[in-house]
Amino acid sequence: MKVTAKTISEQLGISIATVDRALNNRKGVSPKTSKKILEKAEELNYIPNKSASFLSRKKQVLIAFVFPEFPEYFWNEIELGIKSAVADFQDYGFYIETIRTKKFDIEEQLETVQEIINSEKYDGLVLSPIDDFPFIDIINKGIERGIPIYTLNTDSPLSKRISYVGADYEDSGKLAGDLLDKFTPNSKKIALITDQINTLEVKKQEVTDAKDSLKQSSRLRSRHSLQIKQKVHGFKEYMRKCNDKKQIYSFEIESNNLIPSIMSLKDELSDMDGIYVASGVLVEVATCLEQMNFNNMPVLLGHDMSEEIHQFFIRGIVTASICQDPVHQGYLSVRKVFNHLMLDIPIEQSRDIVKLEIVTKGNVKYYIHK
Amino acid sequence: MKVTAKTISEQLGISIATVDRALNNRKGVSPKTSKKILEKAEELNYIPNKSASFLSRKKQVLIAFVFPEFPEYFWNEIELGIKSAVADFQDYGFYIETIRTKKFDIEEQLETVQEIINSEKYDGLVLSPIDDFPFIDIINKGIERGIPIYTLNTDSPLSKRISYVGADYEDSGKLAGDLLDKFTPNSKKIALITDQINTLEVKKQEVTDAKDSLKQSSRLRSRHSLQIKQKVHGFKEYMRKCNDKKQIYSFEIESNNLIPSIMSLKDELSDMDGIYVASGVLVEVATCLEQMNFNNMPVLLGHDMSEEIHQFFIRGIVTASICQDPVHQGYLSVRKVFNHLMLDIPIEQSRDIVKLEIVTKGNVKYYIHK
DNA sequence: ATCATGATGAGGTACGTTAATCATATTTGA
DNA sequence: TCAAATATGATTAACGTACCTCATCATGAT
């Protein structure tokens, strides 16, 4: 019943040593013999025992995970997923260290990544870049120095990162359109709310050295993150294609002055039928909306989950939220790296797109832990 | 960095043999020494290496999974989840066989389970019972004979099954209420559609022998399955508590005459604002509704996912569906049994409730494979 | 003093794979 | 045809845990 390397060796009358050489394609086996062995392995459906393999190989791998501190709830959930994956894999000699950076501080994150690469302590790096462009160069340099780099939750698609695990934000925006459409069947006015991040202004050609992008700190500029741009594009795309009766009003609020800048929109928001908050300020918008206390409260839709948003669900202020199960996302990202580095499953520049899930009052309890 | 049994032995100056005896609480260790060793293990955060442990123990476990053939799409997805879990665990000597039974044939399923228990070939049994009552006795008998029995997707809560992995259907009905409420903000008339299954009429006291319930085959009767009863109860409960403006009209259709009995409801359905299909006949209801082609198509809501339902999403006939990610559910059930049987994680009569997920046209692609 | 009992140590084997060494073919090329 | 290169076999030692036997020593009961 159980097929081991010994089974193959016995059935073919070839020594285990040679079988092993063939299976791990080490030198010293003639092509004929090798072929015979591999065919037999196929025939018997031989699967090498991972436990024995790792035990024997005694390979140890340490991976660094770098992501922001905020939104706290979201990244704590991600960390839960990472932890549960580590529990599964640490027997195989696979270890992980997580390093948190400040949310909006792109320079700190760049420095942290640079330090990690320089330290040569880690066998791999998983990163959630705050912005895409400023990281292209540092990622590519790291890859060239032989350290595998992956992205998580946010991507830097033009870099040479090995793989991305996270959502398709274009799709996320489209789903928001679909939902708002369904929640406001006969209504017309929809608000789209976004805000910006502080990032480094970088043109691709002009950066040739990772240190360069650090030197450019004077050129900090506010703009939409890649993620927001994609959500907004998806949302508008959906509305254009599927629903030409609705009118979209876009509002830009100030990141460092959230509540006042939302409150100042009171008049505009008063006759909206629905509001879509594309960036991570759903709690703030909900807080303001509750204060405004309109006669006809608009449908409010946004992203992500937290204990606060939970409360807004219960009070009926927020109708629904679009989430990517962060625990699963964390687990998946670890698994991806494990497969690549420990099982030598080749990954060529890939994207693992996680599910978009719809959360309302009715199923929120499955999305809140503790 | 790495803590093994040897580390403990060296730090305490006690031989590995004794350390091992203490860690696996075998006899031959004085309480003092044992305490010292266990405390040291705790202090060093010693985690026995699963790989080495399983390799050494050479314990082999074979589990039988028994579930219906239909709905085909759903159970195929479950099987995918099971397979991926098996891929993770087979190195540890954990094997699984799946056995499919006919959907509505409760007698066949009882017989299959009896055969499995009698064969003594399996070290455990995971079962998705078609109905709850008829399985109480056979499960209890199996448990008494020492074979661990678990339920999956549908439960037999009054039996002594070790654990249940699946949804909370009461909650599922409530979520349906919540959604329908949100999709039909200003409307009044809601249809609730159900159908029945053929099951054995069993009173708890009267069955004392598993064979008895087989002998009673003449007493086949139609009634609502536990699952449907719970969904309907949850749905009505939600509507009662949260929305007294809506009127619910219940319709019972004939399981062996689906399409005609739905079509006969044409007049009643014509002025409904929303329809909730609580049992697994969403495709049939959607088919009929599309044919009826009302001026004001009602919002149609049901459960589960399939390629057919996908198509109805695209054509706008079905608005949303409430699902439990079947792949994950399958994976989870395997993991549960693995933890119990291989890691000796004690489970006392437990329920693992899986997430309820909302699927619409906007995120359906994440729920359809191939 | 003798014997049984239990605690402990020492040492070994096994699990399946990896990987090394050394010895023995067999083939290849000049 | 002989040396060099390559293929193969035989043997062995890890990896960390589980579990077995045998020897030793201390304790307390008789």
Side-chain angles (χ1 to χ4, degrees), chain A residues 263-331:
Chain A
M263 287 311 283
S264 74
L265 297 174
K266 187 166 178 179
D267 287 347
E268 282 98 331
L269 294 181
S270 68
D271 64 338
M272 290 291 156
D273 303 304
I275 301 175
Y276 169 45
V277 182
S279 59
V281 294
L282 181 57
V283 167
E284 287 77 7
V285 173
T287 307
C288 294
L289 211 62
E290 193 170 29
Q291 276 184 44
M292 295 173 187
N293 196 29
F294 299 136
N295 282 340
N296 292 314
M297 285 294 270
V299 164
L300 180 56
L301 177 70
H303 290 277
D304 293 343
M305 187 47 50
S306 69
E307 184 49 39
E308 285 165 297
I309 295 178
H310 180 200
Q311 296 306 321
F312 282 116
F313 272 146
I314 291 174
R315 297 209 295 282
I317 306 295
V318 179
T319 299
S321 180
I322 296 169
C323 305
Q324 316 133 38
D325 178 350
V327 178
H328 181 242
Q329 200 176 318
Y331 185 90

Side-chain angles (χ1 to χ4, degrees), chain B residues 14-15 18 21 28 30 33 55-56:
Chain B
I14 295 174
S15 78
T18 306
R21 278 189 271 250
S30 69
T33 318
L55 209 48
S56 168

Side-chain angles (χ1 to χ4, degrees), chain B residues 242-261:
Chain B
C242 306
N243 199 319
D244 31 35
K245 285 178 204 152
K246 284 194 175 25
Q247 184 69 36
I248 298 176
Y249 301 83
S250 297
F251 300 103
E252 184 75 50
I253 60 175
E254 297 161 40
S255 306
N256 40 15
N257 194 28
L258 289 172
I259 301 290
S261 68

Side-chain angles (χ1 to χ4, degrees), chain B residues 106 109-110 127-140 149 151-161 164 169 197-204 207 213 223-230:
Chain B
I106 201 163
Q109 207 186 34
L110 277 166
L127 168 69
S128 179
I130 294 171
D131 197 14
D132 55 335
F133 265 97
F135 280 87
I136 294 178
D137 199 63
I138 202 170
I139 290 176
N140 290 353
I149 300 179
T151 53
L152 163 64
N153 193 56
T154 50
D155 197 8
S156 179
L158 295 176
S159 74
K160 292 179 187 145
R161 92 280 182 281
Y164 164 62
Y169 292 105
I197 57 164
N198 285 317
T199 185
L200 295 170
E201 188 185 13
V202 183
K203 292 204 183 72
K204 204 188 166 192
V207 183
S213 53
R223 65 180 183 103
H224 281 153
S225 69
L226 174 64
Q227 193 183 129
I228 299 297
K229 272 185 278 185
Q230 290 173 332

Side-chain angles (χ1 to χ4, degrees), chain A residues 9-102:
Chain A
S9 114
E10 279 166 357
Q11 291 208 12
L12 290 176
I14 295 173
S15 79
I16 318 175
T18 306
V19 169
D20 184 63
R21 280 189 270 248
L23 290 175
N24 296 287
N25 49 309
R26 291 199 304 276
K27 58 171 187 179
V29 192
S30 68
K32 296 172 271 178
T33 318
S34 181
K35 200 184 159 215
K36 250 200 306 189
I37 291 168
L38 295 179
E39 273 167 3
K40 196 72 187 177
E42 182 81 11
E43 179 200 324
L44 296 176
N45 190 26
Y46 167 76
I47 299 163
N49 185 302
K50 276 203 277 315
S51 293
S53 174
F54 286 115
L55 208 49
S56 167
R57 198 162 15 201
K58 5 183 190 300
K59 184 178 176 181
Q60 305 262 100
V61 162
L62 178 61
I63 306 295
F65 271 68
V66 178
F67 44 80
E69 275 168 1
F70 294 97
E72 206 185 337
Y73 189 88
F74 179 81
W75 288 106
N76 284 349
E77 296 272 295
I78 293 260
E79 210 160 355
L80 271 183
I82 292 175
K83 287 230 175 71
S84 90
V86 167
D88 284 358
F89 296 139
Q90 66 184 359
D91 286 322
Y92 296 152
F94 190 77
Y95 305 97
I96 282 177
E97 256 178 60
T98 58
I99 297 130
R100 299 276 189 111
T101 59
K102 295 200 190 97

Side-chain angles (χ1 to χ4, degrees), chain A residues 77-252:
Chain A
E77 296 272 295
I78 293 260
E79 210 160 355
L80 271 183
I82 292 175
K83 287 230 175 71
S84 90
V86 167
D88 284 358
F89 296 139
Q90 66 184 359
D91 286 322
Y92 296 152
F94 190 77
Y95 305 97
I96 282 177
E97 256 178 60
T98 58
I99 297 130
R100 299 276 189 111
T101 59
K102 295 200 190 97
K103 184 186 177 183
F104 297 115
D105 199 333
I106 200 162
E107 292 171 286
E108 186 205 355
Q109 206 185 34
L110 276 166
E111 267 171 48
T112 306
V113 169
Q114 192 59 267
E115 275 167 26
I116 285 172
I117 293 175
N118 290 341
S119 76
E120 306 201 334
K121 183 182 158 195
Y122 302 93
D123 307 287
L125 168 61
V126 179
L127 168 69
S128 180
I130 294 171
D131 197 15
D132 55 335
F133 264 96
F135 280 88
I136 295 178
D137 199 62
I138 202 171
I139 289 176
N140 290 353
K141 287 269 157 56
I143 295 270
E144 271 156 38
R145 278 177 61 175
I147 169 164
I149 300 179
Y150 313 81
T151 53
L152 163 64
N153 193 55
T154 50
D155 198 8
S156 179
L158 294 176
S159 74
K160 292 181 186 145
R161 92 278 184 281
I162 294 171
S163 74
Y164 165 63
V165 173
D168 178 330
Y169 292 105
E170 182 95 17
D171 231 53
S172 199
K174 281 185 190 160
L175 176 56
D178 177 41
L179 279 180
L180 216 42
D181 205 13
K182 291 198 163 89
F183 288 139
T184 61
N186 304 308
S187 40
K188 298 224 169 70
K189 292 182 146 189
I190 300 293
L192 166 62
I193 295 183
T194 54
D195 71 331
Q196 307 197 331
I197 57 167
N198 284 317
T199 186
L200 295 171
E201 187 182 17
V202 182
K203 292 208 183 69
K204 205 188 163 190
Q205 304 86 332
E206 97 192 31
V207 183
T208 51
D209 184 12
K211 280 173 218 143
D212 272 1
S213 51
L214 291 174
K215 278 183 212 146
Q216 294 168 336
S217 56
S218 58
R219 298 218 241 120
L220 269 175
R221 249 195 77 160
S222 260
R223 63 178 184 105
H224 281 154
S225 69
L226 175 62
Q227 194 182 130
I228 299 298
K229 271 186 277 182
Q230 290 173 332
K231 282 181 191 170
V232 168
H233 185 262
F235 183 72
K236 289 188 171 164
E237 183 76 5
Y238 176 89
M239 285 305 187
R240 198 178 54 76
K241 272 195 184 164
C242 305
N243 200 319
D244 32 34
K245 286 175 202 153
K246 284 193 173 28
Q247 185 67 37
I248 300 175
Y249 299 84
S250 297
F251 300 104
E252 185 76 48

